PDB file of all heavy atoms in Angstrom:
ATOM      1  N   VAL A   1      40.413  41.988  22.384  1.00 97.00           N
ATOM      2  CA  VAL A   1      38.925  42.237  22.576  1.00 97.00           C
ATOM      3  C   VAL A   1      38.688  43.782  22.321  1.00 97.00           C
ATOM      4  O   VAL A   1      37.797  44.195  21.516  1.00 97.00           O
ATOM      5  CB  VAL A   1      38.392  41.844  23.957  1.00 97.00           C
ATOM      6  CG1 VAL A   1      36.888  42.097  23.993  1.00 97.00           C
ATOM      7  CG2 VAL A   1      38.686  40.278  24.088  1.00 97.00           C
ATOM      8  N   GLU A   2      39.291  44.600  23.135  1.00 97.00           N
ATOM      9  CA  GLU A   2      39.282  46.028  22.966  1.00 97.00           C
ATOM     10  C   GLU A   2      40.322  46.490  21.921  1.00 97.00           C
ATOM     11  O   GLU A   2      41.479  46.133  22.036  1.00 97.00           O
ATOM     12  CB  GLU A   2      39.446  46.678  24.306  1.00 97.00           C
ATOM     13  CG  GLU A   2      38.422  46.345  25.347  1.00 97.00           C
ATOM     14  CD  GLU A   2      37.038  46.864  24.991  1.00 97.00           C
ATOM     15  OE1 GLU A   2      36.911  47.824  24.283  1.00 97.00           O
ATOM     16  OE2 GLU A   2      35.987  46.233  25.440  1.00 97.00           O
ATOM     17  N   TRP A   3      39.939  47.355  21.060  1.00 98.00           N
ATOM     18  CA  TRP A   3      40.835  47.746  19.982  1.00 98.00           C
ATOM     19  C   TRP A   3      40.848  49.274  19.809  1.00 98.00           C
ATOM     20  O   TRP A   3      39.803  49.943  19.979  1.00 98.00           O
ATOM     21  CB  TRP A   3      40.439  47.071  18.578  1.00 98.00           C
ATOM     22  CG  TRP A   3      40.429  45.614  18.606  1.00 98.00           C
ATOM     23  CD1 TRP A   3      39.352  44.819  18.783  1.00 98.00           C
ATOM     24  CD2 TRP A   3      41.630  44.816  18.416  1.00 98.00           C
ATOM     25  NE1 TRP A   3      39.872  43.426  18.697  1.00 98.00           N
ATOM     26  CE2 TRP A   3      41.156  43.464  18.518  1.00 98.00           C
ATOM     27  CE3 TRP A   3      43.002  45.138  18.237  1.00 98.00           C
ATOM     28  CZ2 TRP A   3      42.040  42.436  18.323  1.00 98.00           C
ATOM     29  CZ3 TRP A   3      43.835  44.032  18.125  1.00 98.00           C
ATOM     30  CH2 TRP A   3      43.337  42.715  18.151  1.00 98.00           C
ATOM     31  N   THR A   4      42.072  49.788  19.467  1.00 98.00           N
ATOM     32  CA  THR A   4      42.331  51.208  19.122  1.00 98.00           C
ATOM     33  C   THR A   4      42.742  51.303  17.701  1.00 98.00           C
ATOM     34  O   THR A   4      43.850  50.698  17.330  1.00 98.00           O
ATOM     35  CB  THR A   4      43.251  51.824  20.073  1.00 98.00           C
ATOM     36  OG1 THR A   4      42.795  51.724  21.347  1.00 98.00           O
ATOM     37  CG2 THR A   4      43.478  53.263  19.693  1.00 98.00           C
ATOM     38  N   TRP A   5      42.142  51.993  16.830  1.00 98.00           N
ATOM     39  CA  TRP A   5      42.547  52.115  15.421  1.00 98.00           C
ATOM     40  C   TRP A   5      43.715  53.076  15.456  1.00 98.00           C
ATOM     41  O   TRP A   5      43.877  54.095  16.041  1.00 98.00           O
ATOM     42  CB  TRP A   5      41.300  52.817  14.631  1.00 98.00           C
ATOM     43  CG  TRP A   5      40.166  51.888  14.470  1.00 98.00           C
ATOM     44  CD1 TRP A   5      38.909  52.031  15.083  1.00 98.00           C
ATOM     45  CD2 TRP A   5      40.077  50.695  13.625  1.00 98.00           C
ATOM     46  NE1 TRP A   5      38.139  50.949  14.685  1.00 98.00           N
ATOM     47  CE2 TRP A   5      38.840  50.132  13.897  1.00 98.00           C
ATOM     48  CE3 TRP A   5      41.046  50.014  12.898  1.00 98.00           C
ATOM     49  CZ2 TRP A   5      38.402  48.912  13.263  1.00 98.00           C
ATOM     50  CZ3 TRP A   5      40.606  48.769  12.216  1.00 98.00           C
ATOM     51  CH2 TRP A   5      39.275  48.295  12.403  1.00 98.00           C
ATOM     52  N   GLN A   6      44.688  52.564  14.579  1.00 98.00           N
ATOM     53  CA  GLN A   6      45.970  53.298  14.445  1.00 98.00           C
ATOM     54  C   GLN A   6      46.198  53.896  13.024  1.00 98.00           C
ATOM     55  O   GLN A   6      47.182  54.573  12.844  1.00 98.00           O
ATOM     56  CB  GLN A   6      47.097  52.285  14.701  1.00 98.00           C
ATOM     57  CG  GLN A   6      47.118  51.588  16.094  1.00 98.00           C
ATOM     58  CD  GLN A   6      47.331  52.683  17.216  1.00 98.00           C
ATOM     59  OE1 GLN A   6      47.732  53.723  16.998  1.00 98.00           O
ATOM     60  NE2 GLN A   6      47.069  52.168  18.372  1.00 98.00           N
ATOM     61  N   GLY A   7      45.309  53.640  12.033  1.00 98.00           N
ATOM     62  CA  GLY A   7      45.438  54.218  10.720  1.00 98.00           C
ATOM     63  C   GLY A   7      45.400  53.205   9.652  1.00 98.00           C
ATOM     64  O   GLY A   7      45.102  52.026   9.921  1.00 98.00           O
ATOM     65  N   THR A   8      45.554  53.695   8.475  1.00 98.00           N
ATOM     66  CA  THR A   8      45.501  52.806   7.239  1.00 98.00           C
ATOM     67  C   THR A   8      46.751  52.090   7.041  1.00 98.00           C
ATOM     68  O   THR A   8      47.875  52.633   6.997  1.00 98.00           O
ATOM     69  CB  THR A   8      45.161  53.674   6.000  1.00 98.00           C
ATOM     70  OG1 THR A   8      43.926  54.337   6.225  1.00 98.00           O
ATOM     71  CG2 THR A   8      45.048  52.796   4.833  1.00 98.00           C
ATOM     72  N   ALA A   9      46.702  50.743   6.952  1.00 98.00           N
ATOM     73  CA  ALA A   9      47.790  49.940   6.639  1.00 98.00           C
ATOM     74  C   ALA A   9      48.101  49.864   5.155  1.00 98.00           C
ATOM     75  O   ALA A   9      49.258  49.875   4.745  1.00 98.00           O
ATOM     76  CB  ALA A   9      47.563  48.537   7.167  1.00 98.00           C
ATOM     77  N   LEU A  10      47.044  49.683   4.359  1.00 98.00           N
ATOM     78  CA  LEU A  10      47.307  49.681   2.863  1.00 98.00           C
ATOM     79  C   LEU A  10      45.958  50.180   2.237  1.00 98.00           C
ATOM     80  O   LEU A  10      44.900  49.724   2.569  1.00 98.00           O
ATOM     81  CB  LEU A  10      47.566  48.286   2.447  1.00 98.00           C
ATOM     82  CG  LEU A  10      47.979  48.109   0.898  1.00 98.00           C
ATOM     83  CD1 LEU A  10      49.364  48.678   0.806  1.00 98.00           C
ATOM     84  CD2 LEU A  10      48.105  46.627   0.578  1.00 98.00           C
ATOM     85  N   ALA A  11      46.113  50.870   1.158  1.00 98.00           N
ATOM     86  CA  ALA A  11      45.010  51.357   0.400  1.00 98.00           C
ATOM     87  C   ALA A  11      45.265  51.100  -1.098  1.00 98.00           C
ATOM     88  O   ALA A  11      46.471  50.844  -1.473  1.00 98.00           O
ATOM     89  CB  ALA A  11      44.791  52.931   0.522  1.00 98.00           C
ATOM     90  N   GLY A  12      44.209  51.039  -1.912  1.00 97.00           N
ATOM     91  CA  GLY A  12      44.378  50.895  -3.300  1.00 97.00           C
ATOM     92  C   GLY A  12      45.245  51.936  -4.027  1.00 97.00           C
ATOM     93  O   GLY A  12      45.283  53.104  -3.530  1.00 97.00           O
ATOM     94  N   ARG A  13      45.932  51.570  -5.139  1.00 97.00           N
ATOM     95  CA  ARG A  13      46.787  52.458  -5.927  1.00 97.00           C
ATOM     96  C   ARG A  13      46.176  52.866  -7.201  1.00 97.00           C
ATOM     97  O   ARG A  13      45.824  51.964  -7.958  1.00 97.00           O
ATOM     98  CB  ARG A  13      48.155  51.829  -6.151  1.00 97.00           C
ATOM     99  CG  ARG A  13      48.905  51.404  -4.806  1.00 97.00           C
ATOM    100  CD  ARG A  13      50.106  50.510  -5.114  1.00 97.00           C
ATOM    101  NE  ARG A  13      49.669  49.271  -5.619  1.00 97.00           N
ATOM    102  CZ  ARG A  13      50.427  48.352  -6.229  1.00 97.00           C
ATOM    103  NH1 ARG A  13      51.686  48.662  -6.484  1.00 97.00           N
ATOM    104  NH2 ARG A  13      49.883  47.205  -6.652  1.00 97.00           N
ATOM    105  N   ALA A  14      46.037  54.142  -7.500  1.00 97.00           N
ATOM    106  CA  ALA A  14      45.270  54.500  -8.635  1.00 97.00           C
ATOM    107  C   ALA A  14      46.043  53.977  -9.924  1.00 97.00           C
ATOM    108  O   ALA A  14      47.320  54.067  -9.923  1.00 97.00           O
ATOM    109  CB  ALA A  14      45.287  56.078  -8.706  1.00 97.00           C
ATOM    110  N   GLY A  15      45.291  53.420 -10.850  1.00 97.00           N
ATOM    111  CA  GLY A  15      45.765  53.010 -12.112  1.00 97.00           C
ATOM    112  C   GLY A  15      46.369  51.629 -11.979  1.00 97.00           C
ATOM    113  O   GLY A  15      46.899  51.028 -13.048  1.00 97.00           O
ATOM    114  N   GLU A  16      46.381  50.939 -10.758  1.00 98.00           N
ATOM    115  CA  GLU A  16      46.963  49.668 -10.582  1.00 98.00           C
ATOM    116  C   GLU A  16      45.917  48.577 -10.548  1.00 98.00           C
ATOM    117  O   GLU A  16      44.717  48.828 -10.441  1.00 98.00           O
ATOM    118  CB  GLU A  16      47.868  49.639  -9.338  1.00 98.00           C
ATOM    119  CG  GLU A  16      49.099  50.534  -9.403  1.00 98.00           C
ATOM    120  CD  GLU A  16      50.200  50.119 -10.303  1.00 98.00           C
ATOM    121  OE1 GLU A  16      50.087  48.804 -10.739  1.00 98.00           O
ATOM    122  OE2 GLU A  16      51.032  50.904 -10.693  1.00 98.00           O
ATOM    123  N   TRP A  17      46.314  47.309 -10.359  1.00 98.00           N
ATOM    124  CA  TRP A  17      45.441  46.226 -10.317  1.00 98.00           C
ATOM    125  C   TRP A  17      44.560  46.138  -9.063  1.00 98.00           C
ATOM    126  O   TRP A  17      43.549  45.552  -8.994  1.00 98.00           O
ATOM    127  CB  TRP A  17      46.143  44.889 -10.481  1.00 98.00           C
ATOM    128  CG  TRP A  17      47.104  44.569  -9.377  1.00 98.00           C
ATOM    129  CD1 TRP A  17      48.373  45.025  -9.246  1.00 98.00           C
ATOM    130  CD2 TRP A  17      46.828  43.837  -8.130  1.00 98.00           C
ATOM    131  NE1 TRP A  17      48.893  44.595  -8.026  1.00 98.00           N
ATOM    132  CE2 TRP A  17      47.988  43.863  -7.354  1.00 98.00           C
ATOM    133  CE3 TRP A  17      45.689  43.349  -7.599  1.00 98.00           C
ATOM    134  CZ2 TRP A  17      48.009  43.296  -6.035  1.00 98.00           C
ATOM    135  CZ3 TRP A  17      45.716  42.622  -6.341  1.00 98.00           C
ATOM    136  CH2 TRP A  17      46.884  42.637  -5.597  1.00 98.00           C
ATOM    137  N   ASP A  18      45.039  46.983  -8.006  1.00 98.00           N
ATOM    138  CA  ASP A  18      44.329  46.968  -6.772  1.00 98.00           C
ATOM    139  C   ASP A  18      43.630  48.346  -6.450  1.00 98.00           C
ATOM    140  O   ASP A  18      43.384  48.709  -5.303  1.00 98.00           O
ATOM    141  CB  ASP A  18      45.319  46.667  -5.564  1.00 98.00           C
ATOM    142  CG  ASP A  18      46.479  47.603  -5.515  1.00 98.00           C
ATOM    143  OD1 ASP A  18      46.565  48.507  -6.376  1.00 98.00           O
ATOM    144  OD2 ASP A  18      47.437  47.331  -4.734  1.00 98.00           O
ATOM    145  N   ALA A  19      43.397  49.078  -7.588  1.00 98.00           N
ATOM    146  CA  ALA A  19      42.905  50.548  -7.329  1.00 98.00           C
ATOM    147  C   ALA A  19      41.556  50.583  -6.654  1.00 98.00           C
ATOM    148  O   ALA A  19      41.384  51.529  -5.936  1.00 98.00           O
ATOM    149  CB  ALA A  19      42.855  51.152  -8.758  1.00 98.00           C
ATOM    150  N   ARG A  20      40.678  49.681  -6.751  1.00 97.00           N
ATOM    151  CA  ARG A  20      39.274  49.713  -6.195  1.00 97.00           C
ATOM    152  C   ARG A  20      39.320  49.380  -4.647  1.00 97.00           C
ATOM    153  O   ARG A  20      38.557  49.799  -3.961  1.00 97.00           O
ATOM    154  CB  ARG A  20      38.431  48.764  -6.934  1.00 97.00           C
ATOM    155  CG  ARG A  20      36.984  48.856  -6.471  1.00 97.00           C
ATOM    156  CD  ARG A  20      36.265  50.130  -6.903  1.00 97.00           C
ATOM    157  NE  ARG A  20      34.814  50.170  -6.512  1.00 97.00           N
ATOM    158  CZ  ARG A  20      34.025  51.155  -6.840  1.00 97.00           C
ATOM    159  NH1 ARG A  20      34.564  52.151  -7.488  1.00 97.00           N
ATOM    160  NH2 ARG A  20      32.786  51.121  -6.441  1.00 97.00           N
ATOM    161  N   GLY A  21      40.329  48.537  -4.258  1.00 97.00           N
ATOM    162  CA  GLY A  21      40.341  48.211  -2.916  1.00 97.00           C
ATOM    163  C   GLY A  21      41.339  47.045  -2.524  1.00 97.00           C
ATOM    164  O   GLY A  21      41.746  46.279  -3.418  1.00 97.00           O
ATOM    165  N   VAL A  22      41.677  46.976  -1.272  1.00 98.00           N
ATOM    166  CA  VAL A  22      42.665  46.010  -0.796  1.00 98.00           C
ATOM    167  C   VAL A  22      42.215  45.413   0.563  1.00 98.00           C
ATOM    168  O   VAL A  22      41.551  46.096   1.351  1.00 98.00           O
ATOM    169  CB  VAL A  22      44.078  46.563  -0.648  1.00 98.00           C
ATOM    170  CG1 VAL A  22      44.593  47.081  -1.960  1.00 98.00           C
ATOM    171  CG2 VAL A  22      44.117  47.704   0.373  1.00 98.00           C
ATOM    172  N   ARG A  23      42.565  44.195   0.741  1.00 98.00           N
ATOM    173  CA  ARG A  23      42.148  43.371   1.970  1.00 98.00           C
ATOM    174  C   ARG A  23      43.251  42.419   2.384  1.00 98.00           C
ATOM    175  O   ARG A  23      43.550  41.455   1.607  1.00 98.00           O
ATOM    176  CB  ARG A  23      40.770  42.700   1.701  1.00 98.00           C
ATOM    177  CG  ARG A  23      40.324  41.762   2.771  1.00 98.00           C
ATOM    178  CD  ARG A  23      38.987  41.129   2.415  1.00 98.00           C
ATOM    179  NE  ARG A  23      39.181  40.322   1.199  1.00 98.00           N
ATOM    180  CZ  ARG A  23      38.148  40.101   0.277  1.00 98.00           C
ATOM    181  NH1 ARG A  23      37.030  40.750   0.400  1.00 98.00           N
ATOM    182  NH2 ARG A  23      38.409  39.402  -0.810  1.00 98.00           N
ATOM    183  N   PHE A  24      43.786  42.633   3.550  1.00 98.00           N
ATOM    184  CA  PHE A  24      44.789  41.617   4.013  1.00 98.00           C
ATOM    185  C   PHE A  24      44.134  40.319   4.277  1.00 98.00           C
ATOM    186  O   PHE A  24      43.014  40.228   4.722  1.00 98.00           O
ATOM    187  CB  PHE A  24      45.415  42.205   5.378  1.00 98.00           C
ATOM    188  CG  PHE A  24      46.470  43.179   5.176  1.00 98.00           C
ATOM    189  CD1 PHE A  24      46.714  43.806   4.029  1.00 98.00           C
ATOM    190  CD2 PHE A  24      47.341  43.531   6.227  1.00 98.00           C
ATOM    191  CE1 PHE A  24      47.653  44.732   3.821  1.00 98.00           C
ATOM    192  CE2 PHE A  24      48.341  44.412   6.104  1.00 98.00           C
ATOM    193  CZ  PHE A  24      48.535  45.148   4.872  1.00 98.00           C
ATOM    194  N   SER A  25      44.849  39.226   3.907  1.00 98.00           N
ATOM    195  CA  SER A  25      44.454  37.917   4.281  1.00 98.00           C
ATOM    196  C   SER A  25      45.342  37.183   5.225  1.00 98.00           C
ATOM    197  O   SER A  25      44.958  36.231   5.937  1.00 98.00           O
ATOM    198  CB  SER A  25      44.256  37.108   3.013  1.00 98.00           C
ATOM    199  OG  SER A  25      45.448  36.916   2.250  1.00 98.00           O
ATOM    200  N   SER A  26      46.648  37.573   5.287  1.00 98.00           N
ATOM    201  CA  SER A  26      47.718  37.039   6.231  1.00 98.00           C
ATOM    202  C   SER A  26      48.743  38.008   6.432  1.00 98.00           C
ATOM    203  O   SER A  26      49.041  38.854   5.593  1.00 98.00           O
ATOM    204  CB  SER A  26      48.422  35.723   5.577  1.00 98.00           C
ATOM    205  OG  SER A  26      47.506  34.693   5.552  1.00 98.00           O
ATOM    206  N   VAL A  27      49.249  37.993   7.715  1.00 98.00           N
ATOM    207  CA  VAL A  27      50.401  38.780   8.083  1.00 98.00           C
ATOM    208  C   VAL A  27      51.349  37.892   8.822  1.00 98.00           C
ATOM    209  O   VAL A  27      50.980  37.291   9.763  1.00 98.00           O
ATOM    210  CB  VAL A  27      49.997  40.031   8.948  1.00 98.00           C
ATOM    211  CG1 VAL A  27      51.269  40.817   9.368  1.00 98.00           C
ATOM    212  CG2 VAL A  27      49.104  40.939   8.164  1.00 98.00           C
ATOM    213  N   LEU A  28      52.557  37.827   8.249  1.00 97.00           N
ATOM    214  CA  LEU A  28      53.647  37.035   8.955  1.00 97.00           C
ATOM    215  C   LEU A  28      54.670  37.998   9.437  1.00 97.00           C
ATOM    216  O   LEU A  28      55.148  38.781   8.697  1.00 97.00           O
ATOM    217  CB  LEU A  28      54.277  35.980   7.991  1.00 97.00           C
ATOM    218  CG  LEU A  28      53.459  34.668   7.816  1.00 97.00           C
ATOM    219  CD1 LEU A  28      52.310  35.023   6.887  1.00 97.00           C
ATOM    220  CD2 LEU A  28      54.392  33.654   7.298  1.00 97.00           C
ATOM    221  N   VAL A  29      55.100  37.841  10.761  1.00 96.00           N
ATOM    222  CA  VAL A  29      55.959  38.712  11.441  1.00 96.00           C
ATOM    223  C   VAL A  29      57.271  37.892  11.673  1.00 96.00           C
ATOM    224  O   VAL A  29      57.273  36.804  12.372  1.00 96.00           O
ATOM    225  CB  VAL A  29      55.402  39.244  12.737  1.00 96.00           C
ATOM    226  CG1 VAL A  29      56.454  40.150  13.365  1.00 96.00           C
ATOM    227  CG2 VAL A  29      54.149  40.040  12.391  1.00 96.00           C
TER     228      VAL A  29
END
């Protein structure tokens, strides 16, 4: 419920297919 931001997990890469933006949809641990 209460959250503390820890930083950027993933950002877009210049010149790549994900340059404009990235969004996680699943994380498996």
Side-chain angles (χ1 to χ4, degrees):
V1 179
E2 300 291 333
W3 298 99
T4 300
W5 293 108
Q6 302 291 352
T8 300
L10 190 68
R13 299 169 293 162
E16 298 287 345
W17 65 272
D18 56 6
R20 185 71 177 182
V22 298
R23 172 180 60 215
F24 280 14
S25 59
S26 288
V27 176
L28 278 81
V29 180

